[in-house]
Amino acid sequence: MKKWIAIIALVLALPTQAQDEDSLKTQTLQEVTVSVRRQGTVRMGGPINGVSIGREELFRAACCNLGESFTTNPSVDVSYNDATTGAKQIKLLGLSGTYVQMLTENLPNFRAAAAPYALDYVPGPWMQSIQVSKGASSVKNGYESITGQIDIEYLKPDADEGITVNLYGNTLSRFEANADGNLHLNDRLSTELLLHYQDDYAHHDQNDDGFQDQPNVRQWNLQNRWKWRGDRYLFHGGISMIKEDRDGGQTEHAAHLLPPTTHLYKIGIETNRYEGYMKHAFILDPEHGTNIALMGNASLHQIEAQYGHKRYDLSQKNAYAQLMFETNLTEQHNLSAGISLNHDYLSANEKETTPGLYAQYTYTLSDKLVAMAGLRADHSSVFGTFVTPRLHLKFTPTEAITLRLSAGKGYRTVHALAENHYLLASGRQLVIDPLEQEEAWNYGASTSFYIPLFGKTLKLNAEYYHTRFLQQAVIDYDSSPTLLHIANLDGRSYSNTFQVDATYPLFEGMELTAAYRLNDVKCTYGEQLLEKPLTSRYKGLVTASYKTPLGLWQFDATLQLNGGGRLPRTIGETTFPAYEQVSAQITRWFRHFSIYVGGENLTGFRQKDIIINAQDPWSSTFDPTQVWGPVHGPVFYAGLRLNIGNKL
């Protein structure tokens, strides 16, 4: 260990003659060079409240995949669904990620069976940016956004030619290798290849309960993208493939904890995913922004899963297409309209085809007022016709103040077992009732202030969102210690979230962000309105980032304070406590590469007894799904980013 520390320290101390081009934006004025640090996170400029997270922000942490990209973000939480499979979920506005519509470059993606492990399917080095919008978003992308959207922008084929390589390793025996390269075949046609390999190759059991703290995951991920740019026609398309083996459960050392005739409890999940997408854009009138676009994607997601003696196999097919028309009627009036078709096939008894149409009108009054109203109608082959209205307003009375209001409805078809098949890891009996389509209203208000303070600008944001369910699929952990019941909502269910955050550059190169969020999330369980279990009541976040004047060194640190919450009544204890986590990273930038070292969960807090009845995994009370805190202690990592050619 000392040898590796010495090697890293020696490399970090090497002199350099130039700073990395991705970290600085340079302007030359006569003979004076001014270096300006790019903002990692910027607020989206339209009427929808949201932020765009760029590569500068993603580089502030290891960011191995999408699930690890929100460490420094105050709005999005990422937590484990259970302590055996490694399944993670996003939480936005206090609610689980199933109510967040996942998009890849404005195409709906990672649906149903892909949802439990979708955050691991997008490697961090592949991402150019992430757009996070809150509340009911635009009707262009469908009816499913209830609490918001997360749209992933990949690296582009027509960016500067070159190759980048990212190598990563941590103390949990995880190794990753990523590479991407693009080639301009001519002035109009370019292509790109993205490669990813991950291997979690050792067993770790820090709490000595006989179960691996995280599964062994071996993943191969490949994507090939193409882009053609003509005078009036644009094409963008590609194919991708994922192969993943995920193995967890009891370690061989746990055999002495079991009776002689009892087998070890093992979990094995094999996943194969194939996907293709295309986009065609026809520019009819550049002066008025008039264009027609046809885009779509199709995927095949195959799972073969073994949870102890339980087996779950699924081959899910999804296809989506959209034809849209957009034009600026005048400088103030914009119209967008289109038709869409979505098809999900999970089995002969679980399939749905949903055609739909929408129209969206945007009115812009100089730079003071933007109003966007959208309406769509869809017809489900299972649930019939339903209508989705949405409205967004943005008012900017002065350059220092921006106000936003939003209201809208969202719907979602539930594929209960496919979306929650990690629940099969529990010994509790899983019962799923016939489920209705989920339906909810979302209302939001936010305000942003840009306040001059000591020669710099303080960015202050405050927001409130209310989500009210008319119909919901509810997972009941409370009624019985031997039963997990997924049923339709019978009563009230709502979420209230209030958040305030501020960003201020303390001095040249140093930026500080502080945020605080309150969650009031309740649902009816057994005819009683209760707090949603395993959900923190509040969150505090402080991040600090400092880059030296020449951009050669970067220091990042994040403190999270996660509030306590309610535990299911079947556990015995009623609440879980608040806990804090600290992460930090140091990056050394060179001309064509950078080296980073860091640590996560440096406070070392770990949830005790994370698996209920771990000593008897074949019993009906065995349950690894009651996770509210970290599953492992401190983790240290190191990585290398290498740029070859002109690619940033």
Side-chain angles (χ1 to χ4, degrees), residues 82-101:
D82 73 280
T84 55
T85 69
K88 297 177 182 177
Q89 68 168 325
I90 282 177
K91 288 187 177 180
L92 185 64
L93 305 186
L95 295 167
S96 67
T98 54
Y99 304 113
V100 181
Q101 187 179 28

Side-chain angles (χ1 to χ4, degrees), residues 28 174 183 225-226 350 378 397 410 502 532 534 622:
T28 302
R174 179 175 180 179
L183 178 66
R225 295 155 59 79
W226 293 79
E350 194 172 2
D378 295 88
K532 188 173 183 179
L534 310 174
F622 168 75

